[in-house]
């Protein structure tokens, strides 16, 4: 079967850096997504990794190691508005147009 | 205007009632999806469609049906609602080019009493 693991909750301080980890066990790999979801709102796309390494987008970066089945999302210079859930998702190896989502990591940023 | 819209945004209904949730998109995407989200369980795929004549079951399709009336519209029906279908429902669309990330609608909060 396919499995994605993320920590359930994390806390951090405004201005700090936080790393949210995601590990996956799938029968193949064709890409990994990170989404941000504020409470009660729609998930919004943050980043995509298909090759090993770091993808940087402003304050957010995402890293992938395919050999380790591991990704992380790095958030720098945290702001209060970054308080949200962060969802890790991988393409279904049997049907790459489908996504398999982790349960998400709820991040709370404190002043 | 929002690219992916869902109606209604909130609905309270009773066990046994038939409910239809509607999704419309102006992104011109061929692919559309219906998910439900429950606390602690994440997003789970109910049905998806890659074309007007294409309907596919997701991991939790029992108790649901869908209709793809046009490229821009994808409806989800609960023929006889039950309390454990209380959840937040999201529609999503994706393109066939590039990263083809999914774009989500604002969600419908459904409560079945």
């Amino acid at each position: 079967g396919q499995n994605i693991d993320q920590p359930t909750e994390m806390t951090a301080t405004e201005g700090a850096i936080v790393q949210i980890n995601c590990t996956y066990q799938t029968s193949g790999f064709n890409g990994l997504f990170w989404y941000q979801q504020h409470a009660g709102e729609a998930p919004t796309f943050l980043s995509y990794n298909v090759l090993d390494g770091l993808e940087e987008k402003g304050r957010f970066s995402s890293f992938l190691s395919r050999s380790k089945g591991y990704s992380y999302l790095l958030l720098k210079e945290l702001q209060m508005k970054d308080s949200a859930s962060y969802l890790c998702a991988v393409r279904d190896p049997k049907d790459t147009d489908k996504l398999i989502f982790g349960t998400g990591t709820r991040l709370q940023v404190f002043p | 205007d929002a690219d992916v819209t869902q109606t209604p945004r909130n609905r309270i209904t009773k066990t046994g009632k038939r409910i239809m949730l509607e999704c419309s998109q102006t992104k011109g995407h061929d692919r559309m999806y219906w998910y439900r989200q429950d606390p602690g369980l994440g997003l789970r795929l109910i049905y998806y469609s890659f074309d007007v004549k294409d309907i596919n079951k997701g991991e939790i399709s029992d108790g649901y049906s869908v209709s793809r009336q046009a490229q821009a519209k994808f409806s989800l029906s609960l023929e006889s609602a039950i309390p454990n279908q209380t959840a937040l429902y999201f529609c999503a669309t994706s393109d066939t080019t590039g990263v083809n990330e999914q774009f989500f609608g604002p969600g419908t909060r459904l409560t079945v009493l």
Side-chain angles (χ1 to χ4, degrees):
Chain A
Q2 328 292 350
N3 193 50
I4 299 175
D5 290 309
Q6 306 179 235
T8 303
E9 290 195 5
M10 297 182 71
T11 59
T13 305
E14 196 173 16
I17 299 172
V18 71
Q19 177 175 311
I20 302 174
N21 295 326
C22 171
T23 58
Y24 60 89
Q25 300 88 38
T26 56
S27 54
F29 180 79
N30 291 288
L32 183 145
F33 295 81
W34 284 97
Y35 283 83
Q36 180 190 59
Q37 185 180 23
H38 287 97
E41 298 184 8
T44 55
F45 170 72
L46 285 178
S47 69
Y48 176 69
N49 295 74
V50 66
L51 298 176
D52 291 349
L54 191 68
E55 294 283 341
E56 296 187 79
K57 270 188 178 182
R59 293 189 300 116
F60 292 6
S61 303
S62 57
F63 172 82
L64 176 68
S65 169
R66 289 173 294 171
S67 62
K68 295 181 180 177
Y70 168 69
S71 175
Y72 67 71
L73 181 69
L74 193 71
L75 291 73
K76 302 176 186 175
E77 301 168 16
L78 279 172
Q79 302 175 10
M80 298 296 290
K81 67 178 182 179
D82 297 329
S83 293
S85 289
Y86 292 86
L87 314 180
C88 174
V90 298
R91 293 191 193 276
D92 187 332
K94 296 179 183 177
D95 184 344
T96 57
D97 292 304
K98 291 164 55 182
L99 296 181
I100 303 167
F101 282 87
T103 54
T105 299
R106 183 171 170 235
L107 173 67
Q108 288 187 283
V109 179
F110 293 99
Chain B
D1 287 340
D3 295 320
V4 186
T5 57
Q6 293 184 232
T7 56
R9 294 293 312 280
N10 288 281
R11 182 72 183 268
I12 300 174
T13 191
K14 294 182 179 179
T15 297
K17 294 291 188 182
R18 183 178 188 275
I19 295 296
M20 179 180 285
L21 309 183
E22 311 227 16
C23 176
S24 294
Q25 52 113 349
T26 58
K27 299 186 78 67
H29 290 169
D30 286 327
R31 295 169 183 184
M32 299 188 74
Y33 309 80
W34 274 106
Y35 292 90
R36 66 176 279 176
Q37 187 173 43
D38 300 274
L41 293 179
L43 284 161
R44 292 183 292 166
L45 184 63
I46 306 172
Y47 271 97
Y48 60 105
S49 168
F50 291 164
D51 200 324
V52 173
K53 298 180 181 178
D54 178 73
I55 300 291
N56 304 283
K57 292 183 177 180
E59 63 179 302
I60 53 162
S61 57
D62 287 349
Y64 301 95
S65 62
V66 290
S67 173
R68 184 81 184 267
Q69 305 95 318
Q71 187 207 37
K73 295 183 183 298
F74 193 35
S75 301
L76 176 72
S77 292
L78 288 68
E79 296 301 325
S80 179
I82 56 176
N84 78 359
Q85 291 178 313
T86 293
L88 186 55
Y89 289 84
F90 286 104
C91 173
T93 73
S94 70
D95 201 349
T96 56
T97 60
V99 173
N100 62 331
E101 72 269 29
Q102 293 185 13
F103 295 85
F104 287 80
T108 294
R109 187 168 295 280
L110 177 67
T111 303
V112 183
L113 301 176

Short mmCIF file of all heavy atoms in Angstrom, two decimals, chain A residues 64-91:
data_model
loop_
_atom_site.label_atom_id
_atom_site.label_comp_id
_atom_site.label_asym_id
_atom_site.label_seq_id
_atom_site.Cartn_x
_atom_site.Cartn_y
_atom_site.Cartn_z
N LEU A 64 13.73 17.29 -1.49
CA LEU A 64 13.37 15.90 -1.76
C LEU A 64 14.60 15.01 -1.80
O LEU A 64 15.61 15.37 -2.42
CB LEU A 64 12.64 15.80 -3.10
CG LEU A 64 12.28 14.39 -3.57
CD1 LEU A 64 11.21 13.76 -2.68
CD2 LEU A 64 11.82 14.40 -5.03
N SER A 65 14.48 13.84 -1.16
CA SER A 65 15.44 12.76 -1.32
C SER A 65 14.65 11.52 -1.70
O SER A 65 13.97 10.92 -0.86
CB SER A 65 16.22 12.51 -0.03
OG SER A 65 16.96 11.29 -0.12
N ARG A 66 14.73 11.13 -2.95
CA ARG A 66 13.96 9.97 -3.41
C ARG A 66 14.49 8.67 -2.81
O ARG A 66 13.72 7.76 -2.49
CB ARG A 66 14.00 9.89 -4.94
CG ARG A 66 13.19 10.99 -5.61
CD ARG A 66 13.40 10.99 -7.11
NE ARG A 66 14.77 11.34 -7.44
CZ ARG A 66 15.27 11.24 -8.66
NH1 ARG A 66 14.53 10.79 -9.66
NH2 ARG A 66 16.51 11.59 -8.91
N SER A 67 15.80 8.57 -2.62
CA SER A 67 16.37 7.33 -2.07
C SER A 67 15.91 7.10 -0.64
O SER A 67 15.79 5.96 -0.19
CB SER A 67 17.89 7.36 -2.14
OG SER A 67 18.40 8.42 -1.35
N LYS A 68 15.62 8.18 0.09
CA LYS A 68 15.19 8.06 1.48
C LYS A 68 13.67 8.16 1.62
O LYS A 68 13.15 8.01 2.74
CB LYS A 68 15.85 9.14 2.34
CG LYS A 68 17.36 9.00 2.43
CD LYS A 68 17.97 10.09 3.32
CE LYS A 68 19.47 9.90 3.39
NZ LYS A 68 20.13 10.95 4.19
N GLY A 69 12.95 8.42 0.55
CA GLY A 69 11.50 8.59 0.64
C GLY A 69 11.14 9.73 1.56
O GLY A 69 10.25 9.60 2.42
N TYR A 70 11.80 10.86 1.39
CA TYR A 70 11.75 11.93 2.38
C TYR A 70 11.70 13.30 1.71
O TYR A 70 12.40 13.55 0.72
CB TYR A 70 13.00 11.82 3.26
CG TYR A 70 13.28 12.99 4.17
CD1 TYR A 70 12.46 13.28 5.25
CD2 TYR A 70 14.39 13.80 3.95
CE1 TYR A 70 12.73 14.34 6.09
CE2 TYR A 70 14.67 14.87 4.79
CZ TYR A 70 13.84 15.13 5.85
OH TYR A 70 14.12 16.18 6.68
N SER A 71 10.88 14.16 2.27
CA SER A 71 10.81 15.54 1.84
C SER A 71 10.64 16.43 3.06
O SER A 71 10.18 15.97 4.11
CB SER A 71 9.61 15.74 0.90
OG SER A 71 9.45 17.11 0.55
N TYR A 72 11.04 17.66 2.93
CA TYR A 72 10.69 18.64 3.96
C TYR A 72 10.33 19.96 3.32
O TYR A 72 10.78 20.29 2.22
CB TYR A 72 11.79 18.81 5.02
CG TYR A 72 13.09 19.44 4.56
CD1 TYR A 72 13.18 20.79 4.23
CD2 TYR A 72 14.25 18.67 4.49
CE1 TYR A 72 14.38 21.35 3.83
CE2 TYR A 72 15.46 19.22 4.10
CZ TYR A 72 15.52 20.55 3.75
OH TYR A 72 16.71 21.11 3.37
N LEU A 73 9.51 20.69 4.04
CA LEU A 73 9.14 22.06 3.68
C LEU A 73 9.78 22.97 4.71
O LEU A 73 9.60 22.77 5.91
CB LEU A 73 7.61 22.22 3.69
CG LEU A 73 7.06 23.59 3.30
CD1 LEU A 73 7.29 23.85 1.81
CD2 LEU A 73 5.56 23.67 3.60
N LEU A 74 10.53 23.93 4.24
CA LEU A 74 11.23 24.86 5.12
C LEU A 74 10.59 26.24 4.99
O LEU A 74 10.48 26.78 3.90
CB LEU A 74 12.71 24.93 4.73
CG LEU A 74 13.66 25.61 5.71
CD1 LEU A 74 13.83 24.72 6.95
CD2 LEU A 74 15.01 25.86 5.06
N LEU A 75 10.16 26.78 6.12
CA LEU A 75 9.55 28.10 6.13
C LEU A 75 10.46 29.04 6.91
O LEU A 75 10.74 28.81 8.09
CB LEU A 75 8.17 28.08 6.79
CG LEU A 75 7.03 27.36 6.08
CD1 LEU A 75 7.18 25.84 6.15
CD2 LEU A 75 5.69 27.77 6.67
N LYS A 76 10.90 30.10 6.26
CA LYS A 76 11.81 31.06 6.89
C LYS A 76 11.06 32.33 7.27
O LYS A 76 10.00 32.62 6.73
CB LYS A 76 12.94 31.42 5.92
CG LYS A 76 13.76 30.26 5.44
CD LYS A 76 14.79 30.71 4.42
CE LYS A 76 15.54 29.54 3.82
NZ LYS A 76 16.47 29.96 2.74
N GLU A 77 11.64 33.07 8.20
CA GLU A 77 11.08 34.37 8.61
C GLU A 77 9.57 34.25 8.85
O GLU A 77 8.76 34.96 8.27
CB GLU A 77 11.35 35.43 7.53
CG GLU A 77 12.83 35.64 7.25
CD GLU A 77 13.05 36.48 5.98
OE1 GLU A 77 12.11 37.14 5.51
OE2 GLU A 77 14.19 36.47 5.48
N LEU A 78 9.24 33.33 9.73
CA LEU A 78 7.84 33.01 9.96
C LEU A 78 7.01 34.24 10.30
O LEU A 78 7.44 35.12 11.06
CB LEU A 78 7.71 31.99 11.08
CG LEU A 78 7.95 30.54 10.71
CD1 LEU A 78 7.96 29.68 11.97
CD2 LEU A 78 6.89 30.04 9.74
N GLN A 79 5.80 34.24 9.76
CA GLN A 79 4.83 35.29 10.04
C GLN A 79 3.58 34.65 10.63
O GLN A 79 3.34 33.45 10.46
CB GLN A 79 4.50 36.04 8.75
CG GLN A 79 5.71 36.67 8.07
CD GLN A 79 5.39 37.31 6.74
OE1 GLN A 79 4.22 37.46 6.36
NE2 GLN A 79 6.43 37.69 5.99
N MET A 80 2.80 35.47 11.32
CA MET A 80 1.59 34.93 11.95
C MET A 80 0.68 34.29 10.91
O MET A 80 0.03 33.27 11.18
CB MET A 80 0.85 36.04 12.69
CG MET A 80 1.64 36.67 13.82
SD MET A 80 2.00 35.50 15.13
CE MET A 80 0.36 35.28 15.80
N LYS A 81 0.65 34.85 9.72
CA LYS A 81 -0.23 34.32 8.67
C LYS A 81 0.20 32.94 8.16
O LYS A 81 -0.55 32.30 7.42
CB LYS A 81 -0.29 35.29 7.49
CG LYS A 81 1.02 35.42 6.73
CD LYS A 81 0.88 36.35 5.54
CE LYS A 81 2.17 36.44 4.74
NZ LYS A 81 2.04 37.34 3.56
N ASP A 82 1.39 32.50 8.57
CA ASP A 82 1.84 31.15 8.18
C ASP A 82 1.20 30.06 9.04
O ASP A 82 1.37 28.87 8.77
CB ASP A 82 3.37 31.04 8.30
CG ASP A 82 4.09 31.99 7.34
OD1 ASP A 82 3.54 32.26 6.25
OD2 ASP A 82 5.19 32.45 7.69
N SER A 83 0.47 30.46 10.07
CA SER A 83 -0.28 29.49 10.88
C SER A 83 -1.33 28.84 9.98
O SER A 83 -2.25 29.51 9.49
CB SER A 83 -0.96 30.17 12.07
OG SER A 83 -0.03 30.66 12.99
N ALA A 84 -1.17 27.55 9.75
CA ALA A 84 -2.01 26.82 8.79
C ALA A 84 -1.64 25.35 8.87
O ALA A 84 -0.70 24.97 9.58
CB ALA A 84 -1.79 27.34 7.37
N SER A 85 -2.36 24.53 8.12
CA SER A 85 -1.94 23.14 7.94
C SER A 85 -1.16 23.02 6.64
O SER A 85 -1.46 23.71 5.67
CB SER A 85 -3.16 22.21 7.89
OG SER A 85 -3.76 22.11 9.16
N TYR A 86 -0.15 22.16 6.65
CA TYR A 86 0.68 21.94 5.48
C TYR A 86 0.55 20.47 5.08
O TYR A 86 0.81 19.57 5.87
CB TYR A 86 2.13 22.34 5.79
CG TYR A 86 2.22 23.84 5.98
CD1 TYR A 86 1.97 24.40 7.22
CD2 TYR A 86 2.48 24.68 4.89
CE1 TYR A 86 1.99 25.79 7.38
CE2 TYR A 86 2.50 26.06 5.05
CZ TYR A 86 2.25 26.60 6.30
OH TYR A 86 2.26 27.96 6.46
N LEU A 87 0.09 20.27 3.85
CA LEU A 87 -0.25 18.94 3.36
C LEU A 87 0.83 18.47 2.39
O LEU A 87 1.16 19.18 1.44
CB LEU A 87 -1.59 18.96 2.63
CG LEU A 87 -2.76 19.69 3.31
CD1 LEU A 87 -4.01 19.59 2.44
CD2 LEU A 87 -3.02 19.13 4.69
N CYS A 88 1.32 17.28 2.63
CA CYS A 88 2.26 16.62 1.73
C CYS A 88 1.44 15.64 0.88
O CYS A 88 0.57 14.94 1.42
CB CYS A 88 3.30 15.90 2.56
SG CYS A 88 4.48 14.88 1.66
N ALA A 89 1.70 15.58 -0.41
CA ALA A 89 0.96 14.67 -1.28
C ALA A 89 1.91 14.11 -2.34
O ALA A 89 2.76 14.85 -2.86
CB ALA A 89 -0.21 15.39 -1.94
N VAL A 90 1.75 12.85 -2.67
CA VAL A 90 2.54 12.25 -3.74
C VAL A 90 1.61 11.77 -4.85
O VAL A 90 0.45 11.45 -4.61
CB VAL A 90 3.41 11.07 -3.25
CG1 VAL A 90 4.40 11.54 -2.21
CG2 VAL A 90 2.55 9.94 -2.71
N ARG A 91 2.16 11.75 -6.06
CA ARG A 91 1.37 11.19 -7.16
C ARG A 91 1.19 9.70 -6.91
O ARG A 91 2.12 9.00 -6.50
CB ARG A 91 2.09 11.38 -8.49
CG ARG A 91 2.24 12.82 -8.94
CD ARG A 91 2.72 12.84 -10.38
NE ARG A 91 3.18 14.14 -10.81
CZ ARG A 91 2.39 15.09 -11.28
NH1 ARG A 91 1.08 14.90 -11.38
NH2 ARG A 91 2.90 16.25 -11.67
#
